[in-house]
Amino acid sequence: MQRFRHVHASLALALITVSANAHAIDQAGLERALAQRLEGDRSGACIAAAVIDGPRVVRAHGCTDPARRSRIEGRAAFEIGSVTKTMTAALLATLIERGEVSLDDPLASLLPAGTAVPGFEGQPILLRHVVTHTSGLPALPSRMRVTDPADPYAALDEDALLGSLADVRLAQAPGTQFAYSNFASMVLSWGLARQAGIDFESLLQRELLAPLAMRDAHIRQVPDGVRAVQGHLPGRQPTKGWTFPVDMAGVGGVRATLDDMVRYAQAQLGQVDGPVAATLARTQQPVRDGVAMNWMIGNHGDRRVHGHEGGTGGFSSLVAFDREGGQAVVLLSDTALHTMGGLRQLGMHLLGVEASPGTPRRPAQPPSELLDALAGDYLLEGAGTLRLSRRDDTLRVQAAGQPELALGYDDAGEFHLHEVDAVLRPQRGADGRYGFVWVQGGGALRARPLDPDAVSQPMPAVEVLRGYAGTYPLMPGFELDVRERDGGLYAQATGQGEFALEATAAADVFAAPAFGIEIRFQRASDGAVVGLELHQGGNVMRGERR
């Protein structure tokens, strides 16, 4: 139940905005832009970059420490993260071109009969909703168990993926609201493989990678002579690569070299022949305002830029292009830069639509008054409590039940952890008190100071507490035991420690604030407790009392 880890890392995305005129960039200009962005940067990142301008391609490799460029040169394969989703869209577009499916088909049409796919008042989730992130499905499957926070998707299986669909209750009609969902993309990936009758990697190779001569791109089957780039946290520490179940890898599991991604970008510009040309053109057509098939679209004047950022635990990526202008940019970094703004500004600069490539984040000394103002206890929405403490000239952070960790500080005014990719952004309220936003794993959680004078709710009578006691299976192999002891209520999940529950002002609702947990017990018509919902970090798990 610990929440102070890089557990639910979601793959990064940024909307593309444009603000200037196109320009051509030469070799010296590309190298200069990389140096300007990276020199002195606290991340220690390296970036492989390419700019396509019509038939001309300019490539360069830049590093915070130029002596380390060899680690990303040659046939070096990067994790491209969510840029993979645009390839999954291309596979869907292939079926559309062949007349086998339509964007207006329900997602359920790609899944086994009887799969419980949620809808809203009779309105199903359509394929168009999945590729525009308007399905209403949450960011991650509710039954996804993370056995290794550094490799969060490795233990996910088919039963957990499809079973999680049954746990979802849509709050509004699909297509209503944009909400980025890796869950929906994994279901689509799995469904496309099932439709084709082959595994997702073989499908991707047959329909896209081979026709585009992306010879080194892969998911699990590594071509001879290709080496894996080592990924890094933005504190310079090496980190594990991510492992995706092959048929769900369309969410972010492709690894590719710079040359591979140059070919991919050239194909997006229309510099390719054959059926794949029509497929890629279809993915670029707007499906709703600002979104094509997994491409984000930004307009400025007569320019239209498609783009998508990607990121995993140790990598960042960007592909963006102006098809009418014949320009594209590819950026691949061996460091997770999501909490530092990602690669969008650099990419837009290289396309000529941003004046600056961005500035490096350099280490700095935090103001003494800021350290004093931030020290205290905080409630992190949906994720528990944190304690900030001043130790000499540093700020330290501690989550409930975990060790105290030192925070670094940079000249952008943000604190950061070295051990995981997480950032603390101080915010001063209108009352002059400080709070902060905690950014980790693709999410941003607001923290508010705890009120030391707050009065806790009294616990119900012992006989009422005993009525909640029981075992509640939340998913296969994972149960929550609830027990009464000495007038208190306690819970313990499979393989984890026991934690105390506190009463709330609402009947049948208890909380464990240190872990961001809320448990809502459910009663039958005769008043007996028959089940519960466990709410944590935006996820809901349900179990019937046994």
Side-chain angles (χ1 to χ4, degrees), residues 13-19 86 131-133 178 268 280-309 318-324 344 348 351 353:
L13 169 146
L15 297 179
I16 303 299
T17 59
V18 294
S19 59
T86 66
V131 295
T132 56
H133 292 282
F178 182 98
Q268 299 296 338
L280 296 179
R282 179 178 286 274
T283 67
Q284 299 170 17
Q285 299 305 308
V287 181
R288 59 174 285 148
D289 290 346
V291 189
M293 292 178 65
N294 280 340
W295 288 109
M296 304 299 111
I297 306 172
N299 295 296
H300 181 81
D302 59 355
R303 295 198 71 188
R304 172 179 288 183
V305 176
H306 290 66
H308 207 301
E309 284 198 75
L318 168 74
V319 173
F321 59 91
D322 171 2
R323 178 157 178 148
E324 291 186 7
R344 188 206 66 83
M348 296 303 98
L351 279 181
V353 295

Side-chain angles (χ1 to χ4, degrees), residues 365-377:
Q365 179 61 47
S368 178
E369 58 273 20
L370 179 61
L371 295 175
D372 289 336
L374 285 171
D377 294 324

